[in-house]
Amino acid sequence: DAGVIQSPRHEVTEMGQEVTLRCKPISGHNSLFWYRQTMMRGLELLIYFNNNVPIDDSGMPEDRFSAKMPNASFSTLKIQPSEPRDSAVYFCASSSGTGPMETQYFGPGTRLLVL
Amino acid sequence: DAKTTQPNSMESNEEEPVHLPCNHSTISGTDYIHWYRQLPSQGPEYVIHGLTSNVNNRMASLAIAEDRKSSTLILHRATLRDAAVYYCILRDVEDNQGGKLIFGQGTELSVKP
């Protein structure tokens, strides 16, 4: 199994530009999570999907952030326009369910730097 | 949400056992105790989880206090590859939050050769 795949692995952009992060969950998993990690705030959940439907987006910082899951094998996290404070590592994770015993499998992350 | 408290950092020598503590004094009867770790420049990975009884797997052991207010992750023989940040996380079986993980600061484990 290839695990959770994220692209790009690194992204450097200028303030005001649109950024799109991509995630392919593990085949057969029906839950997908987007997390962000910064030195100041640690790891925090942005949004998660169950069966391609967004369930909880309370962690999304503001309207500049949006996430979609058009099908079971693909999700995007978009930032438009990007700002320097969005610089962070963004992780995608998937699991085969949402119960408290389900293991989440994380991708390698996308390291975003907004200049 | 019940919270966990972990030491910020710990040191270990290679090939010696490591005991990573976690306090969760406000744990509820339906909270599962999960441990994840994050190796440098990687995403978090699952280590182990338990409810009441001690648990063993190929990576580690989890010792849970009888009152469940604390737990200890045990690495039986630390290797250099075990250097990581270890997170203790509570997940409630009755929580309708969909299984999201709430990460604290974790314990940064360093392993000396």
Side-chain angles (χ1 to χ4, degrees), chain A residues 9 33 35 37 39-45 48 56 58 91 97-108 111, chain B residues 30 32 34 36 38 41-46 49 87 91-105:
Chain A
R9 293 293 307 276
F33 306 80
Y35 292 86
Q37 185 171 35
M39 289 294 292
M40 291 293 293
R41 300 175 65 89
L43 266 163
E44 52 183 350
L45 179 74
Y48 79 89
D56 182 356
S58 59
F91 291 104
T98 57
M101 290 178 286
E102 295 292 343
T103 296
Q104 289 188 20
Y105 296 85
F106 285 76
R111 190 172 298 272
Chain B
T30 51
Y32 279 80
H34 287 251
Y36 280 72
Q38 186 173 20
S41 300
Q42 295 189 28
E45 65 175 349
Y46 167 81
H49 77 274
Y87 297 97
R91 299 180 70 182
D92 189 350
V93 69
E94 295 183 351
D95 185 358
N96 293 322
Q97 297 297 306
K100 67 182 181 184
L101 297 175
I102 300 176
F103 289 86
Q105 292 304 306

Side-chain angles (χ1 to χ4, degrees), chain A residues 71-101:
Chain A
N71 57 62
S73 59
F74 184 64
S75 177
T76 59
L77 177 67
K78 186 176 295 187
I79 308 172
Q80 166 63 18
S82 58
E83 296 182 2
R85 59 191 169 125
D86 302 330
S87 299
V89 183
Y90 291 80
F91 291 104
C92 176
S94 70
S95 68
S96 57
T98 57
M101 290 178 286

Side-chain angles (χ1 to χ4, degrees), chain B residues 7-82:
Chain B
N8 288 334
S9 62
M10 290 184 65
E11 270 191 359
S12 171
N13 294 318
E14 196 176 11
E15 298 192 2
E16 291 186 356
V18 182
H19 291 232
L20 296 162
C22 180
N23 286 321
H24 27 78
S25 58
T26 59
I27 191 171
S28 74
T30 51
D31 279 328
Y32 279 80
I33 303 161
H34 287 251
W35 285 81
Y36 280 72
R37 73 178 184 180
Q38 186 173 20
L39 301 172
S41 300
Q42 295 189 28
E45 65 175 349
Y46 167 81
V47 178
I48 199 167
H49 77 274
L51 182 63
T52 56
S53 303
N54 294 344
V55 184
N56 300 298
N57 67 20
R58 65 174 181 80
M59 289 181 71
S61 296
L62 177 59
I64 302 173
E66 196 168 333
D67 63 5
R68 298 204 334 120
K69 294 184 184 298
S70 66
S71 60
T72 302
L73 179 70
I74 302 167
L75 306 179
H76 295 285
R77 288 183 67 216
T79 67
L80 297 178
R81 196 190 171 280
D82 291 321

Side-chain angles (χ1 to χ4, degrees), chain A residues 6-110:
Chain A
Q6 293 186 246
S7 64
R9 293 293 307 276
H10 301 273
E11 177 81 27
V12 180
T13 190
E14 292 187 347
M15 182 174 63
Q17 296 298 306
E18 177 180 295
V19 176
T20 300
L21 311 181
R22 297 173 176 80
C23 175
K24 176 178 170 54
I26 292 172
S27 178
H29 283 187
N30 60 358
S31 297
L32 183 139
F33 306 80
W34 282 101
Y35 292 86
R36 179 173 69 174
Q37 185 171 35
T38 61
M39 289 294 292
M40 291 293 293
R41 300 175 65 89
L43 266 163
E44 52 183 350
L45 179 74
L46 299 178
I47 185 172
Y48 79 89
F49 297 81
N50 194 34
N51 293 322
N52 311 337
V53 176
I55 302 299
D56 182 356
D57 65 355
S58 59
M60 296 286 262
E62 47 198 273
D63 291 345
R64 297 185 298 107
F65 285 69
S66 62
K68 294 182 179 180
M69 192 164 186
N71 57 62
S73 59
F74 184 64
S75 177
T76 59
L77 177 67
K78 186 176 295 187
I79 308 172
Q80 166 63 18
S82 58
E83 296 182 2
R85 59 191 169 125
D86 302 330
S87 299
V89 183
Y90 291 80
F91 291 104
C92 176
S94 70
S95 68
S96 57
T98 57
M101 290 178 286
E102 295 292 343
T103 296
Q104 289 188 20
Y105 296 85
F106 285 76
T110 294

